[in-house]
Amino acid sequence: MKSAKAIHPMDELKEKLKDILKVIPRGSNVFYLDYPVHSNGGDMLIMKGTEEFFKDYNINVRARYSVLDFKEGTDIPSDCIIVLHGGGNFGDIYPAHQRLREMVIKNYPNHRIVVMPQTIFYKSEKEYDKTAAIFNKHRDLHVYLRDTLCYELALTKFTDCNVYLSPDMAHQLWPIANPKQTQKDTLYFLRTDVEAGNGQANLEVGSPADTLDWQTLFTPFDNKVAKLFSKMYTVKRMAGNSLPVGALWYNYTDYLLKKAIELFSSYRVIKTSRLHGHILSCLMDKQNILIDNSYGKNSSYYYTWTHPIKTAQLHVNDAKSDLA
């Protein structure tokens, strides 16, 4: 008698995202707000996963807005669910996105609002409490968190909201095929921003050509084009014109992510302090070693969701990996 085929942990994570259908039912009408307009591949993966979720479950996106072109007072039909982009910008590190999130929750008290899977981080407890006071006044607010630490704290803060635990929306993209054969050994995909943690400080890395971040994976020209799009979105909001900036940007993000996927496919192992360097590697079923960021987001996500994946490992202190 044949034994049942084991279910891949990535299949289980994708299946887990179906829980969101309890608050955004199949066939719903939605406004999708705060999708990214910048050259961060992680946010692009979340956006693509969210759009794939909408497509897979026949969810009708009536309008899309970024933080750059959403106007306060925008008319949103009462039958539309407001869906706020997920990711890691919830808190006081990225104030523009948090201001938008809180403004929408204040101004649309009668709409169902869903915050897609996020990691929450506040440097200031006082600021977290201010956010909680705004959220707790809303009658139909649903907040998804990406790890158990954020989830458990949110339960104590958002006492009058609906709080859930969920994987990142990028898991909806599983599986992603490797378009190229392996040519090199190790890619060091390391943060160069405010979230860079101590775990990567003493890491022995390869050549500069094999040590990248989103900003250096994409060429200076790629990044200039992304900044140009940001300006176009701002002009669109100020002038109120109907330029198809959104459609053009979505096409451009397809090109940028194709470049990232091709790069990852050419390496045997990915060592990364980028959460979505880890998630993209898992989506491609590629061996990867995850290094923590500055406030524990990466390790918390790993222990919550991705630790059963055989090709994934968490870098602990300076111990050598058996994937190296």
Side-chain angles (χ1 to χ4, degrees):
M1 183 176 178
K2 290 184 178 180
S3 59
K5 186 178 180 181
I7 298 174
H8 197 290
M10 289 293 286
D11 286 312
E12 294 179 339
L13 293 179
K14 185 174 182 177
E15 186 71 15
K16 177 66 177 172
L17 291 176
K18 283 186 178 180
D19 288 352
I20 297 173
L21 296 174
K22 295 173 184 175
V23 297
I24 311 176
R26 297 171 190 262
S28 296
N29 295 312
V30 304
F31 268 48
Y32 178 32
L33 307 186
D34 199 24
Y35 69 83
V37 184
H38 49 250
S39 54
N40 180 297
D43 275 323
M44 293 179 206
L45 284 166
I46 296 168
M47 178 180 76
K48 297 299 183 184
T50 304
E51 293 286 0
E52 192 71 14
F53 182 86
F54 294 152
K55 178 183 175 183
D56 288 346
Y57 299 116
N58 299 312
I59 294 166
N60 179 33
V61 185
R62 296 275 294 274
R64 295 171 175 85
Y65 291 96
S66 75
V67 71
L68 300 170
D69 65 336
F70 184 78
K71 285 186 175 182
E72 188 168 2
T74 295
D75 181 44
I76 300 179
S78 59
D79 68 330
C80 287
I81 298 169
I82 299 172
V83 177
L84 289 159
H85 179 73
N89 61 18
F90 194 129
D92 53 7
I93 295 181
Y94 305 100
H97 300 280
Q98 189 61 29
R99 282 195 297 268
L100 173 63
R101 192 175 293 116
E102 294 178 6
M103 180 266 286
V104 167
I105 290 167
K106 281 181 182 177
N107 291 357
Y108 298 91
N110 299 316
H111 285 73
R112 170 166 290 186
I113 299 177
V114 180
V115 179
M116 297 301 251
Q118 276 275 359
T119 298
I120 299 178
F121 179 73
Y122 282 87
K123 293 178 289 184
S124 166
E125 186 82 9
K126 184 178 179 181
E127 290 301 316
Y128 200 161
D129 289 339
K130 284 181 181 178
T131 296
I134 293 167
F135 278 38
N136 286 326
K137 290 179 181 178
H138 199 282
R139 65 183 70 181
D140 195 5
L141 176 59
H142 303 262
V143 183
Y144 286 85
L145 285 313
R146 295 190 302 190
D147 64 70
T148 52
L149 292 178
C150 289
Y151 171 71
E152 289 167 1
L153 183 55
L155 286 174
T156 69
K157 296 287 187 181
F158 304 139
T159 53
D160 294 322
C161 305
N162 302 283
V163 180
Y164 315 89
L165 186 64
S166 174
D168 187 271
M169 291 308 298
H171 287 284
Q172 192 68 28
L173 299 172
W174 165 260
I176 294 177
N178 286 264
K180 287 186 175 182
Q181 290 187 340
T182 301
Q183 301 167 343
K184 301 179 182 180
D185 187 63
T186 305
L187 172 65
Y188 298 85
F189 199 65
L190 305 175
R191 299 196 77 111
T192 55
D193 63 3
V194 67
E195 289 188 43
N198 293 330
Q200 69 184 52
N202 298 320
L203 194 70
E204 291 185 13
V205 300
S207 70
D210 298 321
T211 305
L212 299 171
D213 194 6
W214 293 119
Q215 293 88 343
T216 48
L217 185 159
F218 303 131
T219 67
F221 179 77
D222 293 336
N223 290 309
K224 283 182 181 179
V225 172
K227 289 179 180 178
L228 177 60
F229 268 105
S230 295
K231 292 179 181 178
M232 291 168 66
Y233 270 89
T234 302
V235 169
K236 178 185 175 185
R237 177 174 60 84
M238 299 297 291
N241 61 50
S242 57
L243 287 172
V245 180
L248 294 171
W249 171 246
Y250 266 61
N251 287 335
Y252 189 63
T253 58
D254 287 340
Y255 155 75
L256 293 177
L257 285 177
K258 180 182 178 184
K259 180 178 286 192
I261 291 165
E262 288 180 349
L263 176 77
F264 275 44
S265 70
S266 65
Y267 286 88
R268 183 180 68 86
V269 179
I270 312 297
K271 291 187 178 181
T272 183
S273 54
R274 282 281 181 187
L275 178 59
H276 283 84
H278 167 63
I279 291 176
L280 178 56
S281 300
C282 293
L283 289 167
M284 299 171 69
D285 210 16
K286 181 170 286 289
Q287 289 185 323
N288 68 95
I289 299 163
L290 179 63
I291 302 159
D292 217 351
N293 74 321
S294 61
Y295 60 88
K297 173 176 69 177
N298 295 352
S299 58
S300 187
Y301 192 86
Y302 175 85
Y303 287 125
T304 304
W305 303 114
T306 54
H307 67 277
I309 299 170
K310 292 181 180 179
T311 55
Q313 180 179 335
L314 184 67
H315 174 84
V316 181
N317 296 324
D318 292 320
K320 289 187 177 180
S321 164
D322 59 11
L323 294 181

